Amino acid sequence: MATSHRILLTGANGYTAQHILWELLEAGHSVRATARSQSKIDLIKKSFSKYANTPKLDFGVVPDITVPKAFDEVLKSTPPFDTVVHTASPFFLTSTDPTVYLEPAIKGTTEILENIVRVAPTVKRVVILSSFAAVATLHENPISDPPKVYKRDDWLATTLEEAKLATNPVVSYPASKKLAEEAAWNFVKEGKGNFELVTLVPGVILGPVFDPKQIEDPETLNFSTWQIYNMLLKPGVKSSDPVPPTSIWQYVDVRDLARAHLLAVTKPEAAGKRWITVGGEMSHQEWANYLREALPEKSDVIPIGEPANIAKPEGWFTYSAPETVDVLGLTYRTRAETIKDLAPQLAEFAAKAAAAPAAA
Ligand code: NDP
């Protein structure tokens, strides 16, 4: 019989984390889900009613992940934790203040690792949700000859000193992910933790929201889903609008990434490694094409752009991560499936936004 793990999951109310929570629970593991407030926990409880009143799922509030001993209380458990999955970290590109990204990403990571050592030494594996932005240098010229092929040994070059001075979030957000992940690897290399580390390195995360009923206002969607909504379906968008150019082509379906987390928790081979989780490459134009097909009733809304113009510019960077399939054992959905399952949700969110009274 497969081993049942006792897992602490941080940022459990997040877009990705709710899918992770589902994967872990459906696989028979017992999870303590944390969020920043009780109201966010209450939303999870509603969406996870199948598990909320069972011994498989309990909750903890961590109001500020950057303060010393932030995780001490939630790390105490009977039975004790053997696994921690850390996903809580800011992702948006709207602030020019680098500290809003750097502080929670880096301190949140070092704090949980230090707290594990002190309070939960039974933890044998820590899985951290990093980002392809920690691997690739996205803010520089994406084109080279030959094209750069990013692999899991690559690291974004930005240093902490550079990141602290950056006012461009396209520099400071990726740096927050790189420096947080690097801090975790250094922690392990320095022999400070008695646990195995696994990091997951996804491209842009897309696909359906776990429970669309939670979304009262589409402006509260997680950043990657909001970007698609904002570009292609938000009230006011018209079919004659241009399709914005694509800067990051690498994407992954949120459900595949959630399954990658389950594999990262359970597979012995996952330990001590970074796993690039990218299901393929896709442009905004392809999103527009697929959405127009999936939502014919929105043909006057979703930008037409240049439907045939879907080729990646020559020399644009790419990625290579066969080990994620061959060793970790992850399989990926098709892009059509990713879009088909998100499209009706986006249409529903747009209808909600159109029906909402205009802000005073
Ligand atoms: P969400 O915004 O839905 O979830 C982020 C989670 O982190 C939420 O629980 C959020 O809590 C928490 N969080 C954000 N800022 C802070 C903070 N300052 N202190 C404590 N907790 C915080 O995002 P996603 O699901 O999209 O992202 C999850 C993870 O995946 C992040 O680590 C992100 O960097 C990474 N990632 C995302 C990609 C994407 O395309 N979406 C691509 C690659 C990596 P709250 O709800 O209270 O704000």
Side-chain angles (χ1 to χ4, degrees):
M1 203 181 91
T3 313
S4 171
H5 291 279
R6 172 71 175 143
I7 304 167
L8 182 81
L9 172 67
T10 71
N13 64 310
Y15 162 67
T16 309
Q18 292 192 50
H19 285 278
I20 298 172
L21 181 56
W22 183 251
E23 280 289 335
L24 297 175
L25 291 168
E26 287 285 287
H29 304 299
S30 145
V31 185
R32 176 171 296 163
T34 76
R36 282 203 270 189
S37 65
Q38 187 56 45
S39 60
K40 289 176 183 181
I41 296 286
D42 291 342
L43 282 178
I44 308 178
K45 276 188 183 167
K46 259 195 193 166
S47 302
F48 287 79
S49 54
K50 177 176 173 189
Y51 291 103
N53 293 312
T54 74
K56 287 287 179 194
L57 179 58
D58 66 337
F59 300 93
V61 175
V62 182
D64 183 351
I65 63 175
T66 65
V67 299
K69 305 185 178 180
F71 296 94
D72 272 17
E73 280 314 305
V74 295
L75 277 166
K76 292 175 190 158
S77 162
T78 311
F81 291 111
D82 54 73
T83 308
V84 167
V85 178
H86 179 51
T87 79
S89 199
F91 177 42
F92 46 86
L93 296 173
T94 46
S95 175
T96 55
D97 176 0
T99 57
V100 304
Y101 308 107
L102 296 171
E103 286 273 309
I106 302 170
K107 279 200 188 151
T109 302
T110 51
E111 202 53 47
I112 199 163
L113 299 182
E114 283 164 12
N115 295 183
I116 288 168
V117 171
R118 204 180 49 255
V119 176
T122 48
V123 169
K124 291 285 168 269
R125 187 170 289 195
V126 177
V127 178
I128 294 182
L129 175 49
S130 184
S131 172
F132 191 64
V135 165
T137 303
L138 302 172
H139 62 281
E140 284 178 2
N141 185 358
I143 290 178
S144 58
D145 182 12
K148 172 77 188 158
V149 181
Y150 285 109
K151 303 198 175 111
R152 64 174 168 185
D153 294 339
D154 289 309
W155 284 92
L156 167 69
T158 312
T159 64
L160 179 59
E161 292 65 36
E162 289 164 345
K164 278 182 177 166
L165 296 173
T167 52
N168 181 355
V170 174
V171 176
S172 43
Y173 164 72
S176 77
K177 298 302 288 180
K178 175 232 170 157
L179 294 162
E181 192 196 338
E182 192 180 50
W185 285 116
N186 286 341
F187 193 94
V188 171
K189 271 186 217 146
E190 289 160 16
K192 291 187 192 158
N194 184 28
F195 50 76
E196 297 166 332
L197 181 64
V198 187
T199 63
L200 292 164
V201 180
V204 178
I205 307 168
L206 293 165
V209 169
F210 182 77
D211 180 1
K213 287 196 292 300
Q214 280 182 10
I215 309 295
E216 291 293 334
D217 173 2
E219 295 302 318
T220 65
L221 282 166
N222 84 297
F223 193 69
S224 48
T225 315
W226 174 84
Q227 274 191 312
I228 297 291
Y229 165 80
N230 189 52
M231 280 188 298
L232 303 176
L233 265 165
K234 186 180 171 147
V237 172
K238 301 181 296 302
S239 56
S240 56
D241 288 346
V243 173
T246 310
S247 52
I248 306 171
W249 292 66
Q250 294 71 29
Y251 81 96
V252 65
D253 188 294
V254 65
R255 296 161 293 183
D256 296 338
L257 179 58
R259 205 158 11 85
H261 280 77
L262 176 63
L263 296 168
V265 166
T266 54
K267 276 218 154 186
E269 302 88 319
K273 300 266 170 22
R274 305 172 93 191
W275 300 95
I276 291 183
T277 38
V278 171
E281 298 188 326
M282 184 159 47
S283 66
H284 294 159
Q285 182 64 58
E286 272 185 278
W287 265 93
N289 294 355
Y290 273 109
L291 278 180
R292 288 181 62 80
E293 208 178 298
L295 301 170
E297 70 282 11
K298 295 277 178 191
S299 63
D300 56 342
V301 174
I302 302 165
I304 298 169
E306 298 174 51
N309 190 7
I310 54 168
K312 205 165 72 162
E314 207 173 315
W316 200 284
F317 67 78
T318 186
Y319 71 101
S320 173
E323 66 280 353
T324 306
V325 173
D326 300 342
V327 182
L328 193 62
L330 187 63
T331 52
Y332 294 105
R333 283 170 170 76
T334 62
R335 66 193 64 200
E337 207 177 330
T338 301
I339 296 172
K340 171 181 74 61
D341 294 341
L342 177 59
Q345 293 187 352
L346 292 179
E348 196 185 306
F349 300 151
K352 260 191 198 170

